[in-house]
Amino acid sequence: MSNDPDPKTPSILGSAKVLVSELITNFSERESWNITKIFVEQLTGEDWFRFRTDPERHFSPKQWEKWQDWSARIIAQEPLHYVLGKAWFRDLELAVGPGVLVPRPETE
């Protein structure tokens, strides 16, 4: 699968808005947007604000597949760090998953 945007897949900004509307039942609006922005940035490797200025940008098929998986898992209330498979602590990026405690800033 290619990482090139595909006009046959949904737009990134449109998909983000749909995810926020689905998350808002379990999270605050701000947290819903933050989760969505993290997903977009992790999938694309680009800053969220790029997509605000290019609303017609589409996912690649590979990105869309992963977006669907991540969206379903976060909607099912799986912890964000488990969905992403990583957590950040100080200057470290750590691999995490179920059964691994996610480092918290207050324990730094």
Side-chain angles (χ1 to χ4, degrees), residues 6 8-23 32-33 35-37 39-40 43-44 48 51 54-60 63-68 71 74-75:
D6 183 346
K8 296 176 200 152
T9 61
S11 75
I12 293 171
L13 190 57
S15 299
K17 290 177 181 178
V18 169
L19 181 58
V20 167
S21 70
E22 292 175 356
L23 292 177
S32 297
W33 273 109
I35 290 167
T36 302
K37 290 174 191 177
F39 278 7
V40 168
L43 280 174
T44 64
W48 163 253
F51 303 100
D54 188 7
E56 294 305 313
R57 178 90 181 274
H58 292 260
F59 287 111
S60 71
Q63 290 168 338
W64 175 240
E65 185 178 308
K66 191 167 243 184
W67 177 269
Q68 291 177 301
S71 296
I74 201 74
I75 289 167

Side-chain angles (χ1 to χ4, degrees), residues 42-54:
Q42 290 296 307
L43 280 174
T44 64
E46 298 179 47
D47 189 81
W48 163 253
F49 292 104
R50 174 182 163 90
F51 303 100
R52 301 279 296 161
T53 60
D54 188 7

